[in-house]
Amino acid sequence: MASVTSLGDSVQQHLASALSATLPEAAGADPLLRRSDRADFQANGILALAKKAKANPRELATQVVANVVTGEVIKEIEVSGPGFLNITLTDRAITENLAARYADTDRLGIPHTRTPGTTVIDYAQPNVAKEMHVGHLRSAVIGDAVVQLLEFTGETVVRRHHIGDWGTQFGMLIQYLDEHPHELDHKASEVSGEEAMSNLDRLYKAARKLFDADEEFKTRARRRVVDLQAGDPKTLSIWQKFVDESKIYFFSVFEKLDMEIRDEDIVGESGYNDMLAETCRLLEESGVAVRSEGALCVFFEDIKGPDGSPVPLIVQKSDGGYGYAATDLSAIRDRVFSLKANTLLYVVDARQSLHFKMVFETARRAGWLNEDVRAHQLAFGTVLGKDGKPFKTREGETVKLVDLLDEAVDRATTVVREKAEKVGLAEEEIVENGRYVGIGAVKYADLSTSAVRDYKFDLDQMVSLNGDTSVYLQYAYARIRSILRKSEGATPVAHPELELAPAERALGLHLDQVGETVLEVASAYEPHKLAAYLYQLASLLTTFYDQCPVLKADTPEQRENRLFLVDLTARTLHQGMALLGIRTPERL
């Protein structure tokens, strides 16, 4: 179906026509329309136009009002204060617009972006042979939500998981496995993610113990690094075993997070090895990078150390080795020239902001990034404990992501079980809903906070039925589904002829904002604004539920219209939560 023009856009068009008729030179001017607590909308743009035209703002506003067409959409418009316009819509316009959204079962009338392109998004970047911890949570959760939003609004999205699968740390592991070749053999045909991580952890500890105690082993391990970088087939074969074992673990964690990670999207550091030498050559030949004390460096006038000396981006070390910069710059070349990306998006910890600033500037100087191809770091803050400090275990160790997710599911299952008897949930449903609620709680706590901010990880608050939590939204959805099941044959039908109660109007006007909200959130990569929209929607539903009986409405038409309103609210909650990667159980 075609997208639905929002009520705000309709009012905007009416005001634009009136402005042009009143002041021809104001054609195309923004009336600065916004929602208001004084009316349905308020327009503040007249003040700036009056100043520019050297006119009295209130008199100009009065002239504009005289040229506004009222009736179908706008019920009344009045001048307020020094020249504001307060605009009230007709009840019919609200209901008809919502009915058009309701008829579009797939998209709720939400339009696609006007300028779709191709975005390569780099997110969810664990390290081979290492356990995922709470620090990996934000990149995965934020990245997944942005992927859903971009794809929904029509962008072509290429996912990339830049895993840490290369470097000197593998020499020790490869050499140990070469000397103990059956350590990663699977006695069973398949192993769980937990077993795979246990295998890797056991092997790492044994290799580290030998590396620290045996100088000859240490020497052999360091030679292995050279063999790995030289592409020795046997060494690469052993290295691949670590990658494969790690993927078993990675996929199990992402499955627990209710997140799809495809094998073809995992292109780690090793994926760009063949490009590193050429990247360095191109940078040096173009003069973007220069040799300094044997290293290939890029210098920046505005980036200096504490002593005032320039801090360079080192692309190639003096010993000929390549650092992260060479890999990241090669990845940019691949994503721009092979994948034909218009936008490169990196969901990476804010503490790496300086590195990416230097990498992006280097790529711009080289001509790989320009006005048509841009790169953006979606930087995120730190996960904190209740004490406001970086989240650690009591022993001071980084919290394992699996442990954290398991505890969230356990807590949520307890909450679901307490309500289960009232709803009549079977044990299987309790377990399934406990997982959806627990994982949803973790995701929502992250996504409802602006990415750049740190946030406190408080499971008690996350699984609370009160306040700005995913559980509150999930229960709002489940409550509506319960109402619809109890409707005794009555069906949701829009009745534009009915007068709307204040709570119905407030809910309806907010429902109509879903399209512009989703587009704004997707274009700015700001999932927290969608979370805020959904929380307000659930809050308005609560007010509506308290003030406007649905099943016991005064007339059959009013009951049908209210069923239509709550059903559209349920669909909007379901769609919005899905875009955040969160499930909405039918019964809770």
Side-chain angles (χ1 to χ4, degrees):
M1 285 188 63
S3 60
V4 176
T5 300
S6 71
L7 292 167
D9 282 348
S10 294
V11 173
Q12 185 102 354
Q13 291 166 14
H14 278 73
L15 290 181
S17 297
L19 278 171
S20 295
T22 307
L23 203 64
E25 61 268 34
D30 188 352
L32 299 180
L33 189 72
R34 62 180 179 81
R35 288 295 311 280
S36 171
D37 56 2
R38 297 177 180 274
D40 294 334
F41 291 94
Q42 187 176 80
N44 302 335
I46 300 292
L47 277 71
L49 288 172
K51 185 176 182 181
K52 190 174 181 179
K54 297 182 179 179
N56 180 295
R58 191 170 174 88
E59 290 179 3
L60 179 60
T62 302
Q63 293 171 29
V64 171
V65 167
N67 285 317
V68 171
V69 176
T70 58
E72 289 185 6
V73 176
I74 297 176
K75 180 180 180 182
E76 58 185 21
I77 179 169
E78 61 177 15
V79 179
S80 173
F84 302 136
L85 299 181
N86 287 340
I87 303 150
T88 301
L89 306 187
T90 65
D91 289 346
R92 174 175 288 275
I94 295 173
T95 302
E96 286 181 345
N97 237 49
L98 296 182
R101 294 196 181 281
Y102 189 76
D104 184 2
T105 55
D106 294 328
R107 298 186 56 85
L108 301 174
I110 301 171
H112 288 91
T113 182
R114 293 192 181 94
T115 54
T118 297
T119 294
V120 175
I121 177 169
D122 189 327
Y123 70 106
Q125 310 107 346
N127 294 309
V128 166
K130 289 186 179 179
E131 189 138 24
M132 291 177 68
H133 54 74
V134 69
H136 292 107
L137 178 66
R138 300 209 73 184
S139 176
V141 170
I142 295 168
D144 185 61
V146 172
V147 166
Q148 305 303 326
L149 284 158
L150 290 177
E151 289 184 335
F152 185 78
T153 54
E155 185 79 353
T156 298
V157 179
V158 180
R159 312 173 192 203
R160 279 293 176 265
H161 309 296
H162 192 88
I163 65 172
D165 64 352
W166 203 248
T168 57
Q169 70 272 24
F170 287 100
M172 177 184 76
L173 295 170
I174 292 169
Q175 184 60 34
Y176 184 85
L177 189 56
D178 190 25
E179 296 176 11
H180 303 78
H182 301 296
E183 286 291 312
L184 283 183
D185 288 351
H186 297 152
K187 294 177 181 178
S189 57
E190 292 185 9
V191 295
S192 67
E194 186 178 341
E195 289 168 332
M197 192 63 243
S198 177
N199 291 338
L200 291 166
D201 186 55
R202 172 176 46 77
L203 195 148
Y204 177 85
K205 288 176 179 176
R208 168 55 70 180
K209 184 177 179 181
L210 191 58
F211 185 86
D212 292 339
D214 187 333
E215 286 298 323
E216 290 185 1
F217 175 79
K218 184 180 293 186
T219 300
R220 295 195 299 274
R222 285 172 173 163
R223 284 196 198 119
R224 275 292 184 178
V225 177
V226 178
D227 293 340
L228 178 65
Q229 293 174 342
D232 172 62
K234 181 180 179 183
T235 302
L236 284 174
S237 176
I238 299 172
W239 164 81
Q240 188 64 49
K241 289 185 178 181
F242 286 102
V243 175
D244 293 342
E245 194 80 6
S246 296
K247 283 183 178 180
I248 295 171
Y249 164 68
F250 295 159
F251 286 130
S252 72
V253 177
F254 290 124
E255 184 180 4
K256 198 178 286 276
L257 267 170
D258 199 14
M259 193 177 294
E260 181 190 30
I261 301 291
R262 300 176 303 209
D263 191 59
E264 61 266 30
D265 298 331
I266 299 176
V267 183
E269 295 167 356
S270 63
Y272 306 100
N273 281 347
D274 294 342
M275 300 177 67
L276 301 181
E278 186 181 14
T279 295
C280 291
R281 180 181 63 77
L282 291 170
L283 291 173
E284 189 168 12
E285 288 180 355
S286 64
V288 172
V290 297
R291 292 287 170 182
S292 176
E293 299 180 15
L296 186 62
C297 305
V298 182
F299 290 91
F300 311 86
E301 290 184 4
D302 59 336
I303 301 175
K304 296 180 179 179
D307 60 355
S309 59
V311 175
L313 179 70
I314 300 175
V315 184
Q316 187 177 27
K317 303 171 188 175
S318 57
D319 63 3
Y322 301 105
Y324 291 123
T327 304
D328 288 334
L329 287 163
S330 296
I332 287 177
R333 287 177 54 218
D334 179 64
R335 294 166 185 185
V336 171
F337 299 112
S338 297
L339 300 178
K340 309 299 183 185
N342 309 107
T343 303
L344 307 181
L345 186 59
Y346 294 76
V347 188
V348 182
D349 193 314
R351 288 170 291 190
Q352 297 188 45
S353 293
L354 179 59
H355 169 78
F356 279 102
K357 177 183 177 182
M358 296 164 82
V359 166
F360 295 162
E361 176 58 27
T362 298
R364 273 190 286 271
R365 292 180 187 179
W368 306 333
L369 298 177
N370 49 49
E371 291 182 0
D372 299 321
V373 184
R374 67 187 187 94
H376 174 73
Q377 182 194 359
L378 179 48
F380 56 82
T382 305
V383 181
L384 307 174
K386 292 182 182 180
D387 57 2
K389 298 177 182 178
F391 200 21
K392 303 281 187 180
T393 65
R394 290 181 181 178
E395 294 75 27
E397 297 175 357
T398 305
V399 178
K400 295 177 182 178
L401 184 52
V402 169
D403 291 346
L404 181 148
L405 298 177
D406 286 343
E407 185 177 357
V409 170
D410 288 345
R411 298 273 192 98
T413 303
T414 299
V415 172
V416 171
R417 195 178 297 282
E418 288 173 356
K419 301 279 186 178
E421 188 175 341
K422 183 178 178 181
V423 189
L425 295 183
E427 180 63 23
E428 185 179 343
E429 256 186 304
I430 293 172
V431 171
E432 182 180 73
N433 289 353
R435 185 162 63 88
Y436 293 157
V437 170
I439 298 303
V442 171
K443 288 183 176 182
Y444 187 85
D446 194 314
L447 295 170
S448 59
T449 305
S450 173
V452 295
R453 292 177 53 197
D454 299 341
Y455 79 96
K456 291 182 180 179
F457 196 93
D458 183 347
L459 273 178
D460 290 331
Q461 175 57 31
M462 288 179 186
V463 299
S464 171
L465 298 176
N466 302 311
D468 188 6
T469 67
S470 69
V471 193
Y472 176 67
L473 301 182
Q474 288 167 322
Y475 266 97
Y477 175 81
R479 171 188 277 182
I480 295 173
R481 300 305 299 164
S482 175
I483 291 172
L484 293 171
R485 285 192 296 271
K486 296 175 182 176
S487 60
E488 298 175 356
T491 55
V493 178
H495 286 277
E497 74 280 3
L498 292 180
E499 182 178 340
L500 298 176
E504 290 175 300
R505 288 180 60 85
L507 181 62
L509 286 166
H510 192 69
L511 282 167
D512 189 64
Q513 287 183 284
V514 65
E516 55 202 50
T517 299
V518 168
L519 286 184
E520 178 190 347
V521 165
S523 64
Y525 316 128
E526 294 180 325
H528 69 281
K529 290 186 177 179
L530 178 56
Y533 169 85
L534 295 172
Y535 174 63
Q536 188 177 355
L537 178 61
S539 299
L540 288 168
L541 173 70
T542 299
T543 303
F544 165 86
Y545 188 76
D546 290 342
Q547 297 180 6
C548 302
V550 178
L551 300 180
K552 295 183 179 180
D554 294 337
T555 66
E557 292 78 15
Q558 190 180 60
R559 179 169 66 165
E560 290 175 345
N561 200 62
R562 288 178 178 174
L563 283 170
F564 148 73
L565 277 174
V566 295
D567 196 13
L568 181 58
T569 301
R571 291 188 191 178
T572 305
L573 283 169
H574 175 77
Q575 181 64 76
M577 294 287 268
L579 291 174
L580 296 178
I582 299 172
R583 305 261 188 169
T584 43
E586 294 289 304
R587 302 198 305 165
L588 275 177

